[in-house]
């Protein structure tokens, strides 16, 4: 139960990232979240939308695994591992904050899957 709650949390985070990157990137909320100027937001809007789409795929994969119940264990592990790797890479290349926002929740969900 705890693992599933954490997986839902990770999926919801990635749906939120999708909205931030695909819809709100050049709006005040998106520009504030990513510390963008209007010019920078306009220049990077297509890249952000692409990134947001990938976050949506991660969320979809996690929800798919949840929907399968016990048979979805491997799918949940795969998508959580993808989220964790993306979070670690983002922390190394963009901001350490990404580790705590993206990778840590995925790692906690993975730990909960294996411990329970």
């Amino acid at each position: 139960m705890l693992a599933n709650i954490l997986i839902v949390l990770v999926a919801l985070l990635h749906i939120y990232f999708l909205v931030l990157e695909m819809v709100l990137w050049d709006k005040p909320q998106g520009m504030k979240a990513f510390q963008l100027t209007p010019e920078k937001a306009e220049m990077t809007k297509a890249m952000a939308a692409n990134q947001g789409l990938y976050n949506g795929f991660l969320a979809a994969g996690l929800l798919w695994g949840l929907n399968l119940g016990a048979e979805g264990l491997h799918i949940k592990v795969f998508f959580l591992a993808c989220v964790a790797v993306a979070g670690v890479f983002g922390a190394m290349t963009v901001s350490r904050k990404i580790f705590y926002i993206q990778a840590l929740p995925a790692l906690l969900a993975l730990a909960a899957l294996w411990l329970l």
Side-chain angles (χ1 to χ4, degrees):
M1 182 66 143
L2 175 62
N4 287 342
I5 290 169
L6 291 171
I7 291 169
V8 168
L9 172 66
V10 173
L12 290 173
L13 280 170
H14 282 77
I15 291 168
Y16 176 65
F17 300 155
L18 174 146
V19 172
L20 271 177
E21 295 167 347
M22 295 189 82
V23 179
L24 301 174
W25 187 259
D26 59 350
K27 309 294 185 283
Q29 186 178 357
M31 290 191 299
K32 181 180 177 188
F34 295 101
Q35 301 171 351
L36 300 170
T37 63
E39 297 78 23
K40 179 95 173 193
E42 185 58 37
M43 285 178 19
T44 57
K45 189 174 180 178
M47 179 273 314
N50 187 51
Q51 191 170 290
L53 187 61
Y54 286 113
N55 280 309
F57 291 144
L58 292 172
L62 291 170
L63 295 174
W64 173 37
L66 282 171
N67 188 51
L68 292 175
E71 287 84 37
L73 176 64
H74 292 95
I75 293 166
K76 291 182 270 192
V77 168
F78 173 77
F79 280 97
L80 287 169
C82 289
V83 169
V85 168
V88 168
F89 184 78
M92 291 171 49
T93 59
V94 178
S95 168
R96 287 187 186 172
K97 181 171 73 169
I98 295 172
F99 177 82
Y100 301 104
I101 294 170
Q102 185 174 11
L104 186 59
L107 292 169
L108 291 172
L110 275 170
L113 278 175
W114 292 114
L115 295 175
L116 302 176

